[in-house]
Amino acid sequence: MEIFELLESIEDIIERSRNLPFSSKGVIDKDNALDLIKEIRLKLPDELKQAKWVKEERQRILVEAQKEADGIVKEAENRIISMIDEHEITRKAYEQKKEIIENANERSREISNGTKEYADELLTHTEEVLTKTLGNLENSISEALKIMEISIEDTIKTVQNSRRELN
């Protein structure tokens, strides 16, 4: 018999007991009740052991579940931190990329402006040299033409004089 059945038997004995006159006390079969109590005592240790094991197993399961829950929470926290770090790294990388591009564009503008200034200076100098050379050339041509003109005029005079002498 199980403990609960034995307890029900004791309840039956008590309920079937005869009441004493003028009181709520009853008379029960002492030997029968004591036998049931002994049987309960004999069964009680096994039941208590089983209950203790169930309680310990329950506690072990709860501890394991708590450890697992803590692990999941820790993993989630680490993942969140990792994602935040990843996001922060990505954000910083984009900032650095933007800064590098801005610096490169600024440097490119500076080089372009420097190149334009240098080319303008070269072209200005070239223009000045060519203008001066043209002026010199014009003067040289003018002088050469004058010399040639004088020389041709002298030659014409010589030819005319020679013709006159022939006549």
Side-chain angles (χ1 to χ4, degrees):
M1 255 189 195
E2 293 293 320
I3 291 179
F4 290 110
E5 291 173 355
L6 294 171
L7 289 172
E8 285 177 14
S9 297
I10 291 175
E11 281 179 349
D12 286 343
I13 290 173
I14 293 172
E15 284 177 1
R16 282 183 275 139
S17 67
R18 283 181 263 147
N19 286 340
L20 292 175
F22 307 112
S23 93
S24 61
K25 297 181 181 183
V27 178
I28 61 168
D29 182 357
K30 181 179 172 183
D31 291 332
N32 195 6
L34 288 175
D35 286 341
L36 289 174
I37 290 173
K38 283 180 189 175
E39 208 174 321
I40 288 173
R41 278 199 179 121
L42 289 175
K43 292 211 176 247
L44 196 57
D46 289 338
E47 297 292 328
L48 283 178
K49 286 178 189 173
Q50 188 176 11
K52 182 180 177 186
W53 178 84
V54 167
K55 181 181 174 188
E56 287 172 353
E57 189 64 17
R58 178 182 170 268
Q59 187 62 31
R60 185 190 65 77
I61 290 170
L62 287 174
V63 167
E64 271 185 36
Q66 186 62 46
K67 283 181 185 177
E68 188 175 335
D70 291 344
I72 290 170
V73 168
K74 187 68 175 173
E75 184 179 329
E77 287 172 351
N78 290 339
R79 190 147 190 201
I80 288 170
I81 289 169
S82 173
M83 290 171 75
I84 288 171
D85 288 347
E86 217 172 84
H87 174 71
E88 185 67 19
I89 290 169
T90 303
R91 186 185 61 77
K92 284 183 179 179
Y94 279 117
E95 286 176 5
Q96 285 179 344
K97 173 188 144 197
K98 183 179 176 185
E99 187 177 320
I100 288 168
I101 289 172
E102 286 175 3
N103 289 339
N105 287 337
E106 179 63 28
R107 185 74 178 132
S108 173
R109 279 190 293 277
E110 288 174 4
I111 291 171
S112 178
N113 289 338
T115 304
K116 287 177 184 176
E117 286 175 14
Y118 179 70
D120 186 50
E121 287 174 13
L122 282 178
L123 291 172
T124 301
H125 180 67
T126 304
E127 182 182 3
E128 289 171 357
V129 168
L130 289 173
T131 302
K132 187 176 180 180
T133 302
L134 181 61
N136 289 339
L137 187 59
E138 286 174 350
N139 288 338
S140 295
I141 290 173
S142 177
E143 284 179 28
L145 284 175
K146 283 181 187 176
I147 292 171
M148 283 176 68
E149 186 181 327
I150 292 171
S151 174
I152 292 174
E153 284 176 358
D154 286 345
T155 307
I156 290 173
K157 283 181 186 178
T158 305
V159 168
Q160 284 174 351
N161 283 335
S162 294
R163 270 185 70 204
R164 264 189 251 146
E165 284 181 11
L166 280 172
N167 281 337

